[in-house]
Amino acid sequence: MFRKRGSSWEYRVKYTENGKQKTLSKSGFKTKMEAKKAATLIEEKLFKGGISAVKKGDILFEDWLEKYIEIKNVHRRESSNVSARNGQEKLLQQYKGYKLNQIKRTDYQIFINDLLFVKGYSKNTVSRIHGEMMGILNSAVENDELDRNILSGVEIKKEEKEKVVYLRKEEVKQLLEAIQEEKIFKRVMVSILLRTGLRSGELLGLTWSHLDLDKGFLTVDQQRLRNGLGPPKTKNAYRTIAIDETLRNELREYKCWQEENQKANPHYIESEYVMVDESGKPFYHTKPQDLMINLLRKAKLNERKSAHLLRHTHAVMLLEAGVDIKTVSERLGHSDIQMTGNTYLHISENHERKSVDLFDSYLKK
């Protein structure tokens, strides 16, 4: 049955469920023909699959998310699952209690805009949250819980340049001078991060077997996060890098300190991890960031919130020293040189200008 309601058309389709006659209706069609086409599709679905085929998307968002996690997590490494959970928590805050078919494109765009422009999340962070939402809804479509993903094609638009937070050369000197009397494990942590550019998780996953202090090399083949050990972030993050003599000497002294603590403390916690406190207890996953906040405060420097503060500092100082960008990219374990160039664009541009000036001077000789 079809009827005109105001300026639009409505269809009404009758069906039987549990011996009772019921009606499905939908309005808002511009013409009677559009309403007829939609009604025909509904009648076909009722004929082939019953009312359950028509009522796709009735499952609650949180219930489908639970199933999605069971399906997806076994195929992802733990570090990816940790990142995914952060996005899932944001989505749950917004859509808990919603059925999948109640999620509207317009409301979702408002949610995305709120994250970008009100809460001030970076474009990369919002893109990860959006990517997780796409995975959740696409999986619902693939598993016949939803007809289609109405959020396909939503764009994350925020013109911004992610600010690289790092310490200038004079600030590095100020930091190192200020922490000379700090406990050795704090000083060594700063030195490793500053002189290698390791990620925080890579630092925490570092064991003594990863260090060759005689030849001067450090190998990265794992990282330690909140939920334990896992592989490095990307395939390029597997790497062996050279370490300088200053760091090698500091690590030798630090190794002796650990051995002395172990002999003096009957309750010492034995492990192969490099980063431990006086009792041998390995650093928890946020300790490097927590320590850096206190050390920067002690050095009377602005507290930077970036977890990659010393990683960025290492990269910037290498580029300023004239090291080629390919070497910097390999030391950092970036996926490609383009990522390194884009991240440190202002530095690499200066580096290129110096190279051109050197070339010009060479030709004039």
Side-chain angles (χ1 to χ4, degrees), residues 6-55:
S7 60
S8 62
W9 284 83
E10 177 190 69
Y11 71 69
R12 296 173 66 84
V13 176
K14 293 183 179 180
Y15 68 97
T16 301
E17 183 180 19
N18 299 325
K20 295 181 179 179
Q21 193 173 67
K22 297 185 178 181
T23 302
L24 282 172
S25 64
K26 186 175 181 180
S27 60
F29 299 98
K30 293 181 180 179
T31 65
K32 186 176 182 179
M33 183 59 69
E34 287 182 2
K36 281 185 176 182
K37 287 181 179 179
T40 300
L41 290 174
I42 292 296
E43 288 170 343
E44 287 178 359
K45 288 183 179 181
L46 285 169
F47 178 75
K48 293 178 180 179
I51 190 61
S52 61
V54 178
K55 290 186 175 180

Side-chain angles (χ1 to χ4, degrees), residues 90-91 94-95 107-115 129:
K90 294 295 179 189
L91 293 168
Q94 181 69 18
Y95 288 110
D107 294 336
Y108 180 77
Q109 186 66 66
I110 292 172
F111 164 66
I112 289 295
N113 291 346
D114 183 69
L115 293 178
I129 295 171

Side-chain angles (χ1 to χ4, degrees), residues 296-345:
L296 289 169
R297 188 182 298 129
K298 182 178 180 65
K300 295 181 171 54
L301 293 169
N302 292 333
E303 296 171 20
R304 275 72 161 186
K305 293 183 179 180
S306 171
H308 287 330
L309 175 65
L310 295 183
R311 176 173 166 82
H312 290 323
T313 302
H314 178 71
V316 167
M317 294 183 77
L318 284 175
L319 289 167
E320 287 182 338
V323 177
D324 65 274
I325 199 163
K326 183 176 185 296
T327 299
V328 175
S329 183
E330 289 172 350
R331 282 187 69 81
L332 295 178
H334 278 170
S335 56
D336 53 47
I337 295 177
Q338 184 178 358
M339 178 182 179
T340 312
N342 289 340
T343 304
Y344 305 104
L345 181 64

Side-chain angles (χ1 to χ4, degrees), residues 107-332:
D107 294 336
Y108 180 77
Q109 186 66 66
I110 292 172
F111 164 66
I112 289 295
N113 291 346
D114 183 69
L115 293 178
L116 285 169
F117 304 111
V118 179
K119 293 186 170 62
Y121 287 25
S122 72
K123 183 178 179 181
N124 285 341
T125 298
V126 177
S127 293
R128 285 195 294 269
I129 295 171
H130 175 61
E132 192 60 23
M133 185 61 150
M134 291 302 94
I136 292 167
L137 295 190
N138 286 336
S139 181
V141 174
E142 291 166 7
N143 288 276
D144 212 30
E145 288 288 349
L146 198 61
D147 276 329
R148 65 189 182 94
N149 180 357
I150 65 165
L151 303 184
S152 294
V154 168
E155 296 183 4
I156 313 300
K157 294 182 178 180
K158 184 178 184 181
E159 296 300 324
E160 64 174 13
K161 173 124 176 67
E162 294 288 343
K163 186 177 180 181
V164 175
V165 182
Y166 66 96
L167 299 178
R168 299 187 303 276
K169 187 176 180 180
E170 58 270 22
E171 291 178 315
V172 170
K173 290 181 178 179
Q174 188 174 333
L175 172 64
L176 295 178
E177 289 174 3
I179 67 173
Q180 284 183 355
E181 303 304 317
E182 289 288 332
K183 294 177 180 178
I184 190 171
F185 67 82
K186 297 181 183 181
R187 290 186 277 117
V188 167
M189 180 200 76
V190 170
S191 196
I192 293 174
L193 292 173
L194 177 65
R195 293 176 179 274
T196 66
L198 292 187
R199 298 177 176 91
S200 180
E202 294 169 346
L203 170 75
L204 298 181
L206 199 63
T207 68
W208 287 105
S209 63
H210 292 113
L211 292 163
D212 187 335
L213 298 182
D214 293 328
K215 295 181 179 178
F217 288 100
L218 179 156
T219 297
V220 175
D221 63 12
Q222 64 182 20
Q223 63 174 334
R224 185 159 59 86
L225 302 171
R226 186 194 306 254
N227 297 307
L229 280 174
K233 188 175 181 181
T234 65
K235 66 178 182 178
N236 292 77
Y238 287 90
R239 61 199 188 278
T240 296
I241 60 174
I243 53 177
D244 59 62
E245 188 62 31
T246 298
L247 179 56
R248 289 155 70 183
N249 289 334
E250 289 180 357
L251 286 167
R252 291 187 182 102
E253 180 186 355
Y254 176 56
K255 179 67 171 171
C256 291
W257 175 81
Q258 283 190 2
E259 291 170 351
E260 290 170 3
N261 284 339
Q262 186 173 353
K263 291 175 183 177
N265 185 353
H267 303 293
Y268 189 85
I269 301 169
E270 292 188 40
S271 77
E272 273 295 303
Y273 289 120
V274 173
M275 296 317 307
V276 299
D277 61 18
E278 302 99 320
S279 66
K281 184 178 179 181
F283 281 16
Y284 53 85
H285 77 284
T286 61
K287 186 157 187 173
Q289 289 85 355
D290 295 342
L291 286 177
M292 279 306 304
I293 290 173
N294 292 327
L295 294 176
L296 289 169
R297 188 182 298 129
K298 182 178 180 65
K300 295 181 171 54
L301 293 169
N302 292 333
E303 296 171 20
R304 275 72 161 186
K305 293 183 179 180
S306 171
H308 287 330
L309 175 65
L310 295 183
R311 176 173 166 82
H312 290 323
T313 302
H314 178 71
V316 167
M317 294 183 77
L318 284 175
L319 289 167
E320 287 182 338
V323 177
D324 65 274
I325 199 163
K326 183 176 185 296
T327 299
V328 175
S329 183
E330 289 172 350
R331 282 187 69 81
L332 295 178

